[in-house]
Amino acid sequence: MEKKSIDWANLGFGYVQTDKRYVANYKDGAWDAGTLTEDATITMSECAGVLQYAQTIFEGMKAYTTEDGRTVVFRPELNAQRMVDSALRMEMPPFPVERFLDAIEQVVRANYAYVPPYGSGASLYLRPFMFGSGPVIGVKPSTEYQFRVFSTPVGPYFKGGAKPLTIRVSDFDRAAPNGTGHIKAGLNYAMSLHAIVTAHDEGFDENLYLDAGTHTKVEETGGANFLFVTKDGTIVTPKSGSILPSITRRSLMYVAKEYLGLKTEEREVMMDEVSEFAECGLCGTAAVISPVGKIVDHGKEICFPSGMTEMGPITKKLYDTLTGIQLGRLEAPEGWIREIKIK
Ligand code: PLP
Ligand code: COI
């Protein structure tokens, strides 16, 4: 199959409609067989659970072309499991892990022409999601659901690629203690929209959210976890029950320890200690590792020694190692790379 003629190197993080998507429906207590469809639209009840009470969850993952021309996805079973966890918290019927993996495979294969070539810096972003499609007017879970996976070729999440970001400490909260911050529910993102729009209006790239309970501890941004590097080269990441357990962050902590021989700590990070770190990065599927150069905390600027022009040296090593694994330049830990055979 020929690749599409797309200016891969200049893609941003946007929606490009691709040829096929996977759809399965849940009704009368069971998921149907599921199928690929060319129809990129959805028709449902005006009273659907997703439309009335935001009963929707999603995942985000990427397919890549490796140096030797294989098409691969990165640790998809972790996305499948996280979606099960999200579904249970939202009173939705989990989509089975094996079926999730099969759906991903079908979508990548059907849209092979849109998987960006090796070296382009782009990837095929996969968006599995599930929503309450049946009518509900009392506040309760829907009895009908749709699971869907579409794909779209993407470039860097942040404009400017690897240029260090400037972020602000937000006065808005992202997630409550004992709320839904640890799952990938659409509602977490709906409530961050005002914060991101106002951050952009004020010239910031993103928000740093503090813990909602005390406003003293670093949580995460709207779409990525934090990694900090201490002056003596230890990788520190915030531990909290109300942040998303990022697959990229979990992978980077492993890479830091096992590939780079660095010390790693997952612990509470006080906002007060952030000015002592040497480097800061945002990590996630979309963000990969995006360096942060400056954090503005109510007018007080925290400027990391790594500066505003390049990634810090340890952030760069983490970035090169992770992308090296994803693109097949470095040997991956057992089970991290799932090849999708294109027939
Ligand atoms: N935190 C939030 C709020 C996110 O939306 C994401 C994106 O998925 C992440 C962190 C990063 O998670 P992952 O590395 O699994 O993509
Ligand atoms: C991802 O990294 O896949 C996400 O879902 C983050 C989103 C804000 C684009």
Side-chain angles (χ1 to χ4, degrees):
M1 201 194 291
E2 293 259 317
K3 294 280 179 188
K4 294 282 168 187
S5 137
I6 291 175
D7 183 7
W8 308 106
N10 289 310
L11 278 172
F13 195 86
Y15 175 69
V16 174
Q17 190 178 314
T18 55
D19 294 342
K20 299 212 173 146
R21 66 277 306 127
Y22 178 91
V23 186
N25 288 296
Y26 181 92
K27 197 175 173 179
D28 301 328
W31 286 104
D32 69 13
T35 186
L36 287 175
T37 172
E38 286 179 7
D39 190 354
T41 62
I42 297 170
T43 303
M44 65 184 147
S45 166
E46 63 188 355
C47 202
V50 58
L51 299 178
Q52 301 310 321
Y53 304 123
Q55 199 186 16
T56 181
I57 57 177
F58 68 100
E59 273 302 323
M61 52 214 292
K62 284 174 172 171
Y64 310 87
T65 305
T66 60
E67 190 172 30
D68 61 0
R70 289 172 299 137
T71 303
V72 302
V73 287
F74 184 69
R75 310 188 78 181
E77 54 301 311
L78 297 186
N79 296 92
Q81 184 55 50
R82 190 168 64 187
M83 198 159 185
V84 168
D85 299 339
S86 298
L88 294 172
R89 176 64 175 77
M90 294 290 285
E91 290 295 332
M92 301 165 90
F95 196 69
V97 168
E98 279 312 314
R99 290 203 54 194
F100 179 105
L101 296 174
D102 174 58
I104 292 299
E105 205 158 316
Q106 289 194 43
V107 170
V108 173
R109 205 176 281 135
N111 297 292
Y112 171 72
Y114 294 90
V115 183
Y118 175 76
S120 63
S123 54
L124 186 69
Y125 187 73
L126 299 160
R127 175 49 66 87
F129 63 112
M130 187 201 290
F131 54 91
S133 51
V136 280
I137 194 67
V139 178
K140 60 183 179 197
S142 181
T143 55
E144 293 172 18
Y145 294 88
Q146 184 168 111
F147 170 84
R148 230 172 145 95
V149 184
F150 69 77
S151 60
T152 178
V154 296
Y157 188 64
F158 292 104
K159 283 199 294 286
K163 203 177 144 295
L165 306 168
T166 299
I167 65 177
R168 72 162 182 196
V169 176
S170 175
D171 285 328
F172 300 106
D173 295 327
R174 191 190 92 92
N178 307 309
T180 54
H182 61 303
I183 60 159
K184 221 159 157 51
L187 62 91
N188 295 335
Y189 301 80
M191 64 178 282
S192 77
L193 295 176
H194 182 61
I196 194 72
V197 168
T198 52
H200 286 166
D201 286 349
E202 292 166 28
F204 300 105
D205 297 299
E206 248 293 3
N207 288 292
L208 178 160
Y209 294 104
L210 296 170
D211 71 299
T214 69
H215 276 204
T216 58
K217 291 174 254 181
V218 177
E219 293 255 299
E220 59 175 330
T221 65
N225 283 181
F226 276 101
L227 283 185
F228 296 100
V229 184
T230 65
K231 291 191 174 124
D232 62 1
T234 299
I235 310 298
V236 178
T237 194
K239 186 182 174 83
S240 159
S242 46
I243 65 176
L244 192 77
S246 158
I247 294 162
T248 313
R249 183 254 297 165
R250 286 181 267 163
S251 304
L252 284 166
M253 294 299 272
Y254 180 90
V255 159
K257 207 159 151 218
E258 303 298 331
Y259 282 61
L260 302 176
L262 299 171
K263 272 210 305 202
T264 58
E265 290 174 8
E266 184 182 355
R267 59 162 172 87
E268 286 188 344
V269 175
M270 306 307 292
M271 190 58 220
D272 275 354
E273 65 177 300
V274 168
S275 58
E276 283 155 34
F277 292 121
E279 297 177 38
C280 172
L282 306 182
C283 60
T285 298
V288 195
I289 312 178
S290 302
V292 175
K294 192 195 286 185
I295 301 179
V296 180
D297 183 2
H298 301 91
K300 195 180 103 213
E301 293 194 349
I302 299 171
C303 299
F304 293 101
S306 50
M308 292 305 295
T309 49
E310 278 174 49
M311 266 193 197
I314 294 190
T315 308
K316 175 88 168 73
K317 271 193 199 164
L318 286 168
Y319 178 90
D320 287 344
T321 312
L322 180 73
T323 53
I325 290 170
Q326 290 168 334
L327 298 173
R329 291 192 292 253
L330 293 174
E331 191 168 338
E334 178 78 31
W336 278 25
I337 299 297
R338 191 178 178 98
E339 182 175 352
I340 299 190
K341 297 271 185 215
I342 310 298
K343 281 173 224 149

